[in-house]
Amino acid sequence: MDNPWKSINLFDYENHMKLDTVMQLQTLNDMMKVQLNSYPVDNVMVLGIAGGNGLEYIKPEKYSTVYGIDINPGYLQEVKRRYSNLGNLLKCICIDLIAENSKLPNADFVIANLLIEYIGYNCFENVIKQVKPKYVSCGIQINTGEEFVSESPYLHAFDGLNSIHHQMETFELLCHMSNIGYQYLSTVEYPLPNGKMLVKVDFVRINRSLR
């Protein structure tokens, strides 16, 4: 079965995410601004980049390479169109992280916002072991109920996600990252208008070798 993210229209996704009752597009933009200015690195990998929200904060004098990873080739085409000013600095790679993570290059910093929910903790461990970043910053959604997609006119665009969604818990993420040699650095909570919350959790690698 094809991953449902391959068939979700970017227009539907972004318009749902920026509704006043959802506010996730705006919140993730604020989060990306912080993430991209947090660590002394010159390259970064953004997992599940979608339409490139937050890439406007990339400083060419700071970053030599930005890897944009997504399973949807249409999303990546739009990222390249929107951020053509980044030129060869931006390298978009279409990869299914569950089946093809061995194709990922190394990077010093990984940003994974609203990504682990759709690949699971164990797959995320494998991705990090492949990329071997020094720093990892994760944005996860904490839900107040069973529904992880907020009510909106675009709701049915996301019907297929139920088959791949995993509920997130901050403590569980800490345990999995510790298992592969990453030390917890910080947590920042971003409340959302519908009672849900985005939580940014950052880590640093303490083991030099990842196996």
Side-chain angles (χ1 to χ4, degrees):
M1 183 180 71
D2 266 353
N3 190 299
W5 278 111
K6 290 183 178 180
S7 59
I8 295 175
N9 185 280
L10 185 62
F11 176 88
D12 292 339
Y13 172 68
E14 292 185 334
N15 279 282
H16 166 80
M17 293 284 279
K18 71 181 183 183
L19 289 169
D20 289 343
T21 53
V22 179
M23 288 291 289
Q24 290 200 21
L25 199 74
Q26 301 91 323
T27 304
L28 286 168
N29 189 273
D30 292 341
M31 188 184 295
M32 279 283 284
K33 184 176 184 179
V34 173
Q35 289 168 317
L36 289 169
N37 290 284
S38 291
Y39 300 110
V41 295
D42 69 0
N43 63 80
V44 60
M45 179 179 291
V46 183
L47 300 175
I49 197 167
N53 183 23
L55 288 187
E56 64 267 30
Y57 302 118
I58 291 289
K59 298 176 181 177
E61 64 271 22
K62 172 177 172 59
Y63 286 102
S64 62
T65 308
V66 178
Y67 295 105
I69 311 297
D70 210 284
I71 195 171
N72 188 314
Y75 292 1
L76 296 175
Q77 288 176 3
E78 184 62 13
V79 170
K80 288 187 281 189
R81 187 193 70 80
R82 290 177 178 180
Y83 299 96
S84 59
N85 61 298
L86 295 177
N88 293 331
L89 184 154
L90 177 61
K91 302 183 186 305
C92 291
I93 306 174
C94 189
I95 285 180
D96 180 341
L97 292 175
I98 296 174
E100 304 175 302
N101 64 64
S102 63
K103 297 180 181 180
L104 291 167
N106 296 145
D108 294 336
F109 182 28
V110 163
I111 294 175
N113 294 335
L114 298 186
L115 180 280
I116 309 171
E117 286 89 335
Y118 301 106
I119 65 172
Y121 295 115
N122 292 332
C123 179
F124 187 62
E125 281 190 28
N126 292 332
V127 168
I128 295 303
K129 287 191 288 186
Q130 170 66 28
V131 179
K132 299 177 175 63
K134 181 174 182 181
Y135 299 99
V136 179
S137 185
C138 309
I140 61 174
Q141 178 176 302
I142 304 300
N143 301 308
T144 53
E146 293 184 3
E147 296 301 323
F148 64 95
V149 178
S150 301
E151 185 66 38
S152 90
Y154 305 96
L155 181 62
H156 291 297
F158 307 101
D159 285 347
L161 293 181
N162 285 294
S163 63
I164 61 170
H165 181 262
H166 304 75
Q167 290 286 359
M168 291 287 100
E169 297 291 342
T170 303
F171 179 74
E172 190 73 14
L173 177 60
L174 296 177
C175 291
H176 279 270
M177 292 300 287
S178 177
N179 287 343
I180 58 170
Y182 281 80
Q183 178 177 297
Y184 165 77
L185 285 176
S186 65
T187 298
V188 180
E189 297 180 344
Y190 296 78
L192 299 171
N194 53 13
K196 298 178 182 180
M197 181 181 295
L198 295 182
V199 180
K200 182 176 76 70
V201 192
D202 286 14
F203 303 89
V204 62
R205 190 177 74 215
I206 53 176
N207 287 352
R208 291 188 177 182
S209 62
L210 293 179
R211 293 179 291 176

